Amino acid sequence: MTSKSLRIWSLTHKWTSLACTVFMLIICVTGLPLVFREEIADRLSDDPPYVTLPANAPRENLDRFVEKAHARYPNDVIRYVFIDDDEPKVVVGLAPSYEADVKFNHTMKFDARTGDLLKDIPPATQRPLGFLTLMLRLHMDLFAGLSGGLFMGFMGLLFVAAIISGVVLYAPFMRKLEFGTVRSEKPRRVKWLDLHNLLGVVTLAWGLVVGFTGVMNELSTPLFGLWRATDVAAMLKANHDKPMAEHLSSAQAAFDTVHEMLPDRVISSITFPTVPTLGSPHHYLIWTKGDQPLTSRLFTPVLIDAETGAFTAVAELPWYLRTLEVSRPLHFGDYGGMPLKIIWVLLDLITIVVLGSGLYLWAARRRAPVEARLVEQDAVALAPEAAE
Amino acid sequence: MKHAKSTPLPDKSWLGIFGAPVLLAALILFGLLSALLGQGGLWFLLSWAALIVPIGVIVWFVARPMKSRPKA
């Protein structure tokens, strides 16, 4: 490597790291509890337990949940019905109007078999800030909405750039050292440099994957917006002048139609007719997914005419939304059982050490250009051999 | 092997420097994908086994100099 390119890589590593380290530390620390968010949510939940029924107990007709929601909130509109495949649970999401911001959504949680209302949950704006929400907002957007999310996404990109430049610099720093050398008898700075290099290079593939998929997740809102503005808009063009569907056909019938057409797909939710920014004014969007670790993350919506109940179209998602969907499990680490979650936490902790040691190495740096530090590095590298 | 300070060690080859990191990166990618693309069961076990290796490598190299310190 020429001394000029070495200096450029060194500056790249220094500045990309410095710019993102504080935010990456926030992301890594808040990420620790988020790995276990399902377990923590279960533990913190004060929801009444489900009654014990045989595993094959029939499920209540979906239209009953819709009726109950309408009866309790006659002035609100139904946004969606979510059908859990994990717990015997159906959640109905409502909003004060079609146009209302999603933060005003409130939900009703039902037992999917008995049809009993288990919990009536007010909108997030009226709930105290829960621990997991606090962690998630600090992790995702620092309470600054879309712009905060894009900012954190940019920090993630800097993190990826810092990893790549770090790997390039790894070569000259290791040219005299055996892999895994930790010179613990040397000055503290040398020892931490070795630890920084070792921990960083060993976990680099995980860091790149989780960093990049984190950036993808931050782009979720704009990417879905792009899809609605292009593909969905084109699909709904025929209904462009039709007003909002008023006399809705049966949601259960729409569910059954899709279930008959696509018997191997699991139906996870139904988006009710709504404003074009959230769905289709004239259709039920029936969200289907597969039942394997990967395919259960790949959703395909089916459009059913909300007045006639007739099948309209299968809306295949574009490649960029498929990439986003695959990015989610690879970021969350929630697709391989408890052992994978524990591994995620360990790798997160290692990343925190890499970030912290990087900050220390910068603070305790020698005010010398990278070439001088390399000469020094090589000199120290000889010492352990000479001592043997 | 002894080296006088006046005769510097030769630079290591690319493979000497990046061999172990590339192997570990391949193992991590295999671990990440096997649980995602496999159909559970054995693929989960392979995933956990593959991903625990880099953590074990770090523990090994961090613990090693601590153990050998009294001798040095």
Side-chain angles (χ1 to χ4, degrees):
Chain A
M1 196 184 295
T2 67
S3 70
K4 191 183 170 200
S5 70
L6 180 66
R7 209 172 310 159
I8 291 172
W9 281 111
S10 173
L11 283 172
T12 308
H13 189 60
K14 177 163 112 183
W15 288 109
T16 51
S17 309
L18 276 178
C20 75
T21 292
V22 171
F23 298 100
M24 285 310 301
L25 281 170
I26 295 174
I27 286 172
C28 285
V29 171
T30 55
L32 291 171
L34 288 174
V35 173
F36 299 112
R37 66 197 164 288
E38 284 170 38
E39 290 78 6
I40 295 172
D42 280 350
R43 189 64 65 85
L44 296 178
S45 162
D46 56 357
D47 295 7
Y50 296 103
V51 291
T52 312
L53 289 176
N56 60 355
R59 291 181 153 245
E60 179 62 281
N61 187 311
L62 292 177
D63 294 325
R64 297 292 93 73
F65 303 111
V66 174
E67 285 160 16
K68 285 184 180 180
H70 272 311
R72 197 173 178 103
Y73 295 101
N75 298 321
D76 286 8
V77 298
I78 294 184
R79 282 245 151 109
Y80 61 86
V81 171
F82 168 76
I83 304 132
D84 204 337
D85 59 344
D86 198 24
E87 298 171 29
K89 163 174 97 171
V90 165
V91 177
V92 178
L94 298 107
S97 71
Y98 287 119
E99 294 78 20
D101 190 285
V102 291
K103 71 181 173 198
F104 297 113
N105 283 8
H106 61 101
T107 51
M108 296 170 74
K109 176 181 167 184
F110 294 95
D111 187 309
R113 305 148 309 170
T114 64
D116 291 337
L117 177 65
L118 296 175
K119 203 178 187 189
D120 198 4
I121 306 159
T125 51
Q126 292 171 29
R127 285 199 304 267
L129 186 65
F131 169 71
L132 283 175
T133 312
L134 173 68
M135 291 297 115
L136 184 64
R137 295 301 301 274
L138 288 174
H139 190 80
M140 271 177 64
D141 61 12
L142 300 173
F143 292 92
L146 179 59
S147 46
L150 293 177
F151 175 79
M152 288 306 239
F154 181 61
M155 292 300 117
L157 271 186
L158 289 179
F159 176 64
V160 168
I163 294 177
I164 294 168
S165 53
V167 172
V168 175
L169 288 177
Y170 179 83
F173 274 91
M174 295 301 286
R175 64 189 172 193
K176 309 286 187 199
L177 291 174
E178 286 302 319
F179 171 76
T181 305
V182 179
R183 291 164 293 179
S184 53
E185 70 282 3
K186 296 292 170 208
R188 195 193 294 167
R189 195 182 179 284
V190 175
K191 184 180 101 179
W192 279 105
L193 173 65
D194 287 347
L195 285 171
H196 182 80
N197 287 343
L198 170 65
L199 271 57
V201 85
V202 168
T203 59
L204 90 96
W206 184 82
L208 284 176
V209 167
V210 176
F212 177 75
T213 53
V215 174
M216 279 304 294
N217 279 304
E218 296 287 20
L219 295 177
S220 165
T221 305
L223 289 181
F224 267 100
L226 175 65
W227 177 59
R228 273 194 305 268
T230 55
D231 298 7
V232 178
M235 209 167 352
L236 299 179
K237 218 169 184 177
N239 299 292
H240 199 260
D241 300 324
K242 285 197 193 172
M244 185 78 76
E246 266 182 31
H247 304 287
L248 297 187
S249 59
S250 156
Q252 182 66 49
F255 179 100
D256 294 340
T257 303
V258 174
H259 186 62
E260 272 163 39
M261 281 183 54
L262 306 165
D264 359 317
R265 304 285 291 175
V266 179
I267 297 172
S268 69
S269 70
I270 304 176
T271 304
F272 274 51
T274 182
V275 288
T277 47
L278 294 174
S280 161
H282 212 78
H283 299 87
Y284 286 121
L285 254 68
I286 317 274
W287 291 86
T288 70
K289 60 177 188 174
D291 60 358
Q292 294 300 324
L294 178 62
T295 59
S296 69
R297 316 290 172 141
L298 303 178
F299 291 87
T300 300
V302 179
L303 275 72
I304 299 287
D305 189 300
E307 283 189 339
T308 66
F311 163 78
T312 307
V314 176
E316 287 295 341
L317 295 194
W319 65 269
Y320 50 86
L321 290 183
R322 286 279 176 245
T323 314
L324 169 66
E325 289 179 317
V326 177
S327 291
R328 286 177 180 151
L330 285 171
H331 189 74
F332 304 154
D334 61 352
Y335 60 99
M338 183 49 75
L340 192 68
K341 292 185 180 190
I342 293 169
I343 287 167
W344 232 249
V345 162
L346 293 174
L347 291 168
D348 189 349
L349 288 169
I350 292 170
T351 306
I352 291 175
V353 177
V354 175
L355 291 166
S357 59
L359 208 54
Y360 163 76
L361 290 169
W362 169 76
R365 70 197 177 283
R366 293 301 184 71
R367 298 199 180 272
V370 62
E371 296 98 316
R373 282 184 279 137
L374 268 180
V375 171
E376 179 194 68
Q377 161 85 5
D378 288 350
V380 204
L382 289 168
E385 301 260 347
E388 273 172 23
Chain B
M1 216 168 67
K2 278 198 174 186
H3 288 276
K5 283 210 170 189
S6 50
T7 55
L9 284 170
D11 282 5
K12 297 181 70 175
S13 64
W14 191 91
L15 200 66
I17 295 173
F18 281 113
V22 165
L23 255 164
L24 287 164
L27 205 58
I28 288 178
L29 290 179
F30 168 78
L32 292 180
L33 292 178
S34 67
L36 189 64
L37 304 176
Q39 319 275 303
L42 179 66
W43 292 105
F44 274 19
L45 282 175
L46 286 174
S47 165
W48 303 331
L51 291 172
I52 207 70
V53 170
I55 297 171
V57 165
I58 287 175
V59 171
W60 166 259
F61 282 112
V62 171
R64 197 178 57 162
M66 285 179 192
K67 271 188 230 151
S68 64
R69 197 172 295 163
K71 280 185 263 165

